[in-house]
Amino acid sequence: MSQRDNEPRRVARERMRIERERQVKRQRIRRQLFAGAGVAGVLIAATSIAVFVRTHGDAEASADTPLIKPAHASGKDGTTVVLGEAKDTLDLYEDPRCPVCADFEQNVGGEVLKGYRDGRYRLSFTFGTFLDGMAGGSGSHKALGALGAALDVSPDAFLDYHAQLYAKGNHPSEHEDKFSNVSYLLKVAERVPALKDNAKFKAAVKEGAFAGWANRMSAKFNASKVAGTPTLKYNGRTVAVSNGTAPMTPQDFTRALNSVARKPSA
């Protein structure tokens, strides 16, 4: 058989090899995700917390990165992101690249925002970037910096951009690092009216103006006692379903939140 006849087989074998390597990497990441959540080796469809790995460093963390605090943030280093004026607080802990966070936001995010807009609770956000250390890359850090730029525009711009980053069709799978591409982050922002033609926002994303803030937010996440993402807390009490994971349907979210809200204060 000629070398030319062997060429299609060689190409096919090479494609199979590349695909196998991608699958192995994807499976390894998923094992790490679930192991970090305390359910190693168990794949729970559509209702699991992703990972929390304190030992993984942030891809772009640097003590020398200058700190610019976004408008509409407060606290030390501007890492307190609390929106709304209600007495009660719903805390969300997420990583921008977290695939289970994306599932949560796509399925439950609308219900979370409804409670916020109805004045039932304030929303507090704490973001980690541990998936950059686990999967390699810088997408979590870059997306977090872009969220800081959106927060600098307005709380509504931040919430809309946050929703778009996690939206189906925008959020990449865990073995892709699309958020490390500034052009892609700006493309997603085109779906947010307040950001679409905002030159200041675009410049901040391109220049990495809020990279130092992202470092400090990530450090705040690492210092928390949160065991996985997504994690929800209502006035400090974990909001979860019976197996301890975050609620992944609007109905489960409402039941879990009401159950926690009814508990007497400690």
Side-chain angles (χ1 to χ4, degrees):
M1 185 177 294
S2 69
Q3 184 174 354
R4 180 178 299 177
D5 292 335
N6 283 326
E7 183 64 14
R9 294 186 180 183
R10 187 191 67 77
V11 171
R13 286 196 299 269
E14 180 65 12
R15 287 177 178 172
M16 290 176 64
R17 183 188 67 79
I18 292 172
E19 181 60 26
R20 282 197 301 269
E21 289 179 354
R22 289 181 61 186
Q23 290 298 326
V24 168
K25 183 177 181 181
R26 183 182 183 122
Q27 290 168 7
R28 182 173 68 250
I29 293 170
R30 285 212 176 255
R31 284 196 299 270
Q32 288 174 310
L33 288 171
F34 286 93
V39 286
V42 180
L43 298 180
I44 304 174
T47 172
S48 268
I49 53 181
V51 338
F52 173 56
V53 183
R54 296 179 189 273
T55 57
H56 282 277
D58 302 320
E60 297 196 354
S62 170
D64 297 329
T65 305
L67 171 64
I68 300 175
K69 301 178 184 179
H72 314 293
S74 60
K76 178 176 170 54
D77 297 332
T79 56
T80 300
V81 179
V82 178
L83 309 181
E85 302 296 333
K87 177 184 69 174
D88 298 307
T89 303
L90 180 66
D91 296 284
L92 281 79
Y93 296 81
E94 298 175 318
D95 182 307
R97 288 177 68 183
C98 169
V100 188
C101 295
D103 289 341
F104 169 79
E105 290 294 342
Q106 290 165 23
N107 293 302
V108 188
E111 195 68 20
V112 170
L113 288 177
K114 182 178 184 301
Y116 158 72
R117 287 172 175 146
D118 288 346
R120 179 172 183 181
Y121 45 71
R122 303 182 296 171
L123 280 178
S124 172
F125 294 87
T126 303
F127 296 98
T129 61
F130 54 83
L131 264 169
D132 285 348
M134 289 185 65
S138 59
S140 290
H141 188 276
K142 291 280 183 65
L144 180 50
L147 281 166
L151 182 62
D152 196 57
V153 174
S154 72
D156 284 343
F158 166 84
L159 289 173
D160 290 346
Y161 189 48
H162 172 267
Q164 286 297 331
L165 286 174
Y166 285 114
K168 189 173 183 179
N170 293 339
H171 194 271
S173 63
E174 62 268 32
H175 67 274
E176 294 181 293
D177 192 25
K178 291 176 74 171
F179 285 166
S180 66
N181 187 325
V182 169
S183 295
Y184 185 74
L185 292 172
L186 292 176
K187 179 181 177 181
V188 174
E190 291 289 308
R191 297 175 177 269
V192 180
L195 304 179
K196 183 176 180 180
D197 298 314
N198 192 308
K200 183 180 177 182
F201 166 80
K202 292 181 179 181
V205 175
K206 290 177 181 177
E207 296 165 6
F210 294 98
W213 175 80
N215 290 345
R216 287 153 178 86
M217 174 64 83
S218 182
K220 178 183 178 181
F221 179 95
N222 291 344
S224 74
K225 297 184 183 298
V226 169
T229 58
T231 286
L232 289 73
K233 293 187 178 184
Y234 184 75
N235 293 335
R237 298 177 183 270
T238 300
V239 179
V241 294
S242 58
N243 64 3
T245 65
M248 298 301 285
T249 68
Q251 296 79 10
D252 282 345
F253 169 72
T254 299
R255 281 193 293 267
L257 182 64
N258 288 342
S259 176
V260 169
R262 285 194 297 266
K263 292 181 179 179
S265 301

